[in-house]
Amino acid sequence: MRHGTVNGVADDRSAEELGEVDILFFQIGDSEYGTDASQVLRIDRALPDDLTVRELGVPHRGLRALVFDSPEGEGHLKVDAVNGVRPVALAVLRRMPAAVVAAPYAVGICLDEESKRPVLLIDLAETLKTQGRH
């Protein structure tokens, strides 16, 4: 349950009730991405065999990994940095238009007010499928 204030009034509603979702923002190379924070089981040290997705960029160092559930167990995506988790209003999230030819893991865009630029949202489990690890 999330506690905070809305228009100066105490608010004990959950993020869903407020029309928000928690997004975990992370960096691969020079690019920032986001994912539904509920997909991430933990953040761990990266191992040599952890997943890298060339289309998302080559990690500068890739010392961390986002650990997530997959049908075969845990998946690990190498990242350079975890920039934090923030509640984001559903109103600033956009699904990928059907006309856009994008990888299946690219599920949408966050019109991030904090960074003032759009951030690609990805589905972590789909990243494994695109690499033949399903």
Side-chain angles (χ1 to χ4, degrees), residues 18 39-40 44 57 69 90 105 114-115 118 126-127:
L18 292 172
Q39 286 190 321
V40 180
D44 215 335
D69 264 333
L90 296 176
Y105 56 77
E114 192 167 303
S115 68
E126 285 294 325
T127 61

Side-chain angles (χ1 to χ4, degrees), residues 23-29 31-35 37 40 42-46 62-67 77-86 124:
I23 301 290
L24 182 138
F25 293 92
F26 59 96
Q27 195 144 359
I28 299 175
S31 299
E32 184 175 36
Y33 299 98
T35 193
V40 180
R42 67 181 179 281
I43 299 162
D44 215 335
R45 289 187 178 153
L63 299 178
R64 295 277 178 252
L66 301 181
V67 181
L77 176 66
K78 279 188 188 181
V79 300
D80 284 311
V82 175
N83 299 336
V85 174
R86 291 193 312 272
L124 294 173

Side-chain angles (χ1 to χ4, degrees), residues 8 11 21 30 32 41 47 49 51-52 56 58 62-63 67 80 99 114 121:
D11 191 350
V21 63
D30 295 327
E32 184 175 36
L41 300 175
L47 301 172
D49 290 340
L51 176 67
T52 57
L56 295 176
V58 178
L63 299 178
V67 181
D80 284 311
E114 192 167 303
L121 300 174

